[in-house]
Amino acid sequence: MKDTTDGMRKKLGERIRELRKSVGITQEELGEKTELNYKYIGEVERGQVNVSLDSIVRIADALGVK
């Protein structure tokens, strides 16, 4: 189970990074838009943290994703 969740966190983080780059903003800018620390954004993108649903929604909104 741990391998599965680790893999899912990494895939989610990679997708967030792809979307952020496609919009053309930095981690710092995404952090400002979401009111999340840019260091936390980096950890999310690297799959290092278990991101909350609330944070996922804030990130998705900031990136224009439904």
Side-chain angles (χ1 to χ4, degrees), residues 29-42:
E29 291 168 325
L30 182 55
E32 288 174 12
K33 288 179 177 238
T34 58
E35 298 181 355
L36 298 169
N37 188 290
Y38 74 93
K39 290 180 182 180
Y40 179 72
I41 298 292

Side-chain angles (χ1 to χ4, degrees), residues 9 13-14 16-17 20 26-28 30-31 36-49 59:
R9 269 198 305 269
E14 289 169 2
I16 289 170
R17 178 177 285 134
R20 176 181 59 76
T26 65
Q27 288 178 346
E28 291 86 356
L30 182 55
L36 298 169
N37 188 290
Y38 74 93
K39 290 180 182 180
Y40 179 72
I41 298 292
E43 291 172 340
V44 169
E45 289 185 356
R46 291 188 297 276
Q48 295 175 328
V49 292
I59 291 168

Side-chain angles (χ1 to χ4, degrees), residues 46-65:
R46 291 188 297 276
Q48 295 175 328
V49 292
N50 190 11
V51 61
S52 72
L53 180 58
D54 290 344
S55 294
I56 292 170
V57 169
R58 289 161 72 176
I59 291 168
D61 286 346
L63 295 173
V65 177

